[in-house]
Amino acid sequence: TPKEVTIEKDKVYKTDEWMNTPSTILSAIPRRLHLQQDHPIAITRQLIESRFPNYKCHNTLFPVVTVEQNFDSLGFPADHIGRSRTDTYYLNKDTVLRTHTSAHQADTFRANESAGYLISADVYRRDAIDRSHYPIFHQMEGAMTWDRDSLDASTSLKQAVWADVAKIPAHSIDVEDASPTSHPERNPLQECHSAEEVEAIAAHLKRSLEDVVVAIFNAASRAAVAAGETPASPDEPLKVRWVEAYFPFTSPSWELEVFWQDDWLEVLGCGIVKQDIMSHAGVPNRLGWAFGLGLERIAMLLYSIPDIRLFWSTDARFLSQFSSAAPIRRFVPFSKYPTCFKDVSFWLRSSSSAAGGLSRNALSPVDFHENDVMEIARDVCGDLVEDVRLVDEFVHPKTGRKSLCYRTNYRSLERTLTNDETNQLHERFRQQLVEKLGVELR
Ligand code: PHE
């Protein structure tokens, strides 16, 4: 690993044994798809922003943040899985690529520039490889707060919030909201909030986000009709539902799901901001809500984009199909190129063979994590790998050694790969598994 990394020409970070960010990820940082003119991620962002006219938009916040910003400030416990090097890209022990836009919550509340704000940004997570997961994606975070101090003597906070609720446009969709706003064990109120205050803030949150979903799905069904398709259910109105959720930084918390193509689809997470965050941010008298959503997921259903890798394509056959000036139209796939799968089987290192053997990293010499296989595949194949899946697992009855078999699908979205090319990719993938993970090929 290099001793230091430079990001965006002048930001230099010292690396240490926590560094696990490959150069392929670092070099994608400047892409900023959410700011690229006429890119579907940018258009989706603008569509949502247009539903929050008085909110301040932050769209250029820098992706390298501290562990404090990404986790500590939000109340993530010390042993939370999200903090592990298998899930998060570190530059050093104290510095990560943000895993979510919530990393900027505390700072944005502290700046206290506007009651409502939106943050759109690239976020980074080590994860599986398939058509809906990519190690870089884009989120939008939103928040609205009310200040107890700025109310006049005759108005209570809940009255002020309900007055704002009345200003949100009405809709006629079918909303299912079966659980109570809060629940003493499953989804508790915070001690410093009254049930009536939370009821009002939750109503504002839910109405605001229902309005967003209506705007998105109306645009999606107009696109479907324009493409000559019958929308999934022409006579039925859009159905959404609120379900209880958990996040370390909100309570109570909820998720919004939308009934889409015969299934409930999770579109966003949200809740009442923990008062601790406000206090630490120097605005103890503000309270309110926050939400976070994934822009790729929404763009994929808005445009019927079948594979998340397409967002990274610079091919005109992809990019020319989107325009912020025209109504949203379905993406028309250019011909689908053939796929080719190959398997690799290997024995995992056992503790005894690792003792004197290769040490992949100082922190966890024998641990095997699937995300490491995924990352090697990305590193070797870039966007030519469509998905990587565990297809077989076997434990030797005598030695107790474990063997895994992964199936890799190779496909370019832009051309047909030659046999030679896939063979070479696969061979390099196999060699890197040995070199970086110390496995033994079968
Ligand atoms: N940051 C959360 C995520 O990435 C989403 C979220 C944002 C939830 C704000 C609640 C409030 O899953």
Side-chain angles (χ1 to χ4, degrees), residues 5-136:
V5 288
T6 306
I7 294 170
E8 312 259 276
K9 296 198 179 75
D10 58 346
K11 307 222 175 40
V12 184
Y13 297 87
K14 286 229 147 28
T15 59
D16 60 18
E17 74 276 14
W18 282 72
M19 168 68 171
N20 64 348
T21 311
S23 56
T24 45
I25 295 288
L26 293 172
S27 61
I29 288 178
R31 293 286 299 273
R32 292 175 215 280
L33 302 182
H34 63 295
L35 297 179
Q36 186 179 321
Q37 168 87 26
D38 289 328
H39 192 281
I41 296 294
I43 299 173
T44 304
R45 168 182 65 79
Q46 290 163 325
L47 172 63
I48 303 172
E49 284 174 351
S50 73
R51 309 311 299 177
F52 293 101
N54 298 314
Y55 289 55
K56 182 172 168 124
C57 297
H58 301 271
N59 291 330
T60 56
L61 296 177
F62 194 62
V64 181
V65 299
T66 60
V67 168
E68 152 77 23
Q69 290 171 303
N70 201 81
F71 297 117
D72 301 340
S73 73
L74 295 163
F76 278 79
D79 60 354
H80 194 280
I81 173 76
R83 292 179 184 258
S84 68
R85 291 169 74 248
T86 56
D87 287 39
T88 295
Y89 291 112
Y90 281 83
L91 298 183
N92 58 47
K93 179 172 151 298
D94 304 312
T95 315
V96 298
L97 300 183
R98 69 184 152 221
T99 64
H100 56 174
T101 41
S102 303
H104 302 292
Q105 255 189 33
D107 296 333
T108 314
F109 288 132
R110 186 174 297 111
N112 200 11
E113 294 169 322
S114 152
Y117 67 75
L118 299 174
I119 297 169
S120 298
D122 39 328
V123 301
Y124 300 77
R125 293 187 197 174
R126 300 183 84 221
D127 210 336
I129 298 184
D130 63 39
R131 274 178 292 171
S132 61
H133 290 89
Y134 201 82
I136 314 178

Side-chain angles (χ1 to χ4, degrees), residues 283-308:
V283 286
N285 294 322
R286 284 199 165 271
L287 62 159
W289 54 253
F291 75 83
L293 57 77
L295 288 169
E296 272 79 356
R297 162 157 299 184
I298 291 175
M300 284 174 89
L301 84 225
L302 202 46
Y303 291 97
S304 301
I305 292 174
D307 188 311
I308 197 167

Side-chain angles (χ1 to χ4, degrees), residues 81-377:
I81 173 76
R83 292 179 184 258
S84 68
R85 291 169 74 248
T86 56
D87 287 39
T88 295
Y89 291 112
Y90 281 83
L91 298 183
N92 58 47
K93 179 172 151 298
D94 304 312
T95 315
V96 298
L97 300 183
R98 69 184 152 221
T99 64
H100 56 174
T101 41
S102 303
H104 302 292
Q105 255 189 33
D107 296 333
T108 314
F109 288 132
R110 186 174 297 111
N112 200 11
E113 294 169 322
S114 152
Y117 67 75
L118 299 174
I119 297 169
S120 298
D122 39 328
V123 301
Y124 300 77
R125 293 187 197 174
R126 300 183 84 221
D127 210 336
I129 298 184
D130 63 39
R131 274 178 292 171
S132 61
H133 290 89
Y134 201 82
I136 314 178
F137 60 104
H138 298 77
Q139 279 190 330
M140 184 188 286
E141 179 108 353
M144 176 68 194
T145 59
W146 289 266
D147 186 355
R148 289 189 196 279
D149 287 346
S150 69
L151 300 167
D152 62 66
S154 63
T155 320
S156 68
L157 186 113
K158 70 166 196 225
Q159 285 171 320
V161 177
W162 281 114
D164 286 341
V165 174
K167 296 175 200 153
I168 303 169
H171 62 68
S172 59
I173 58 168
D174 184 353
V175 180
E176 179 187 314
D177 196 352
S179 358
T181 300
S182 64
H183 182 281
E185 284 97 44
R186 296 192 311 259
N187 213 7
L189 290 176
Q190 300 171 49
E191 258 169 45
C192 47
H193 297 158
S194 77
E196 293 76 25
E197 285 168 347
V198 169
E199 211 60 60
I201 295 171
H204 191 275
L205 165 66
K206 290 177 179 178
R207 290 272 288 276
S208 302
L209 293 172
E210 287 159 15
D211 176 71
V212 168
V213 167
V214 170
I216 292 165
F217 285 81
N218 282 342
S221 68
R222 281 195 298 270
V225 171
E229 294 165 36
T230 28
S233 44
D235 305 319
E236 277 169 51
L238 176 64
K239 270 198 297 192
V240 305
R241 71 178 181 195
W242 290 100
V243 297
E244 291 174 340
Y246 174 80
F247 302 101
F249 38 96
T250 52
S251 192
S253 309
W254 308 279
E255 266 160 14
L256 179 58
E257 300 182 340
V258 176
F259 199 70
W260 177 252
Q261 293 172 351
D262 293 328
D263 234 333
W264 287 104
L265 183 77
E266 182 198 314
V267 275
L268 59 87
C270 60
I272 308 295
V273 179
K274 287 259 181 93
Q275 212 55 41
D276 261 6
I277 298 174
M278 297 293 185
S279 302
H280 289 142
V283 286
N285 294 322
R286 284 199 165 271
L287 62 159
W289 54 253
F291 75 83
L293 57 77
L295 288 169
E296 272 79 356
R297 162 157 299 184
I298 291 175
M300 284 174 89
L301 84 225
L302 202 46
Y303 291 97
S304 301
I305 292 174
D307 188 311
I308 197 167
R309 289 175 294 163
L310 281 163
F311 292 116
W312 298 89
S313 171
T314 54
D315 192 314
R317 289 173 297 175
F318 177 73
L319 292 174
S320 66
Q321 295 197 33
F322 308 95
S323 159
S324 57
I328 287 172
R329 281 184 299 126
R330 287 291 173 93
F331 169 65
V332 184
F334 28 103
S335 64
K336 200 157 176 162
Y337 298 94
T339 169
C340 163
F341 77 78
K342 293 189 186 296
D343 290 347
V344 55
S345 300
F346 51 80
W347 294 108
L348 292 184
R349 254 177 320 153
S350 54
S351 335
S352 53
S353 72
L358 292 156
S359 166
R360 172 166 59 96
N361 60 57
L363 298 169
S364 52
V366 279
D367 280 358
F368 170 84
H369 195 292
E370 182 159 292
N371 282 348
D372 295 335
V373 174
M374 300 295 167
E375 185 152 288
I376 291 170

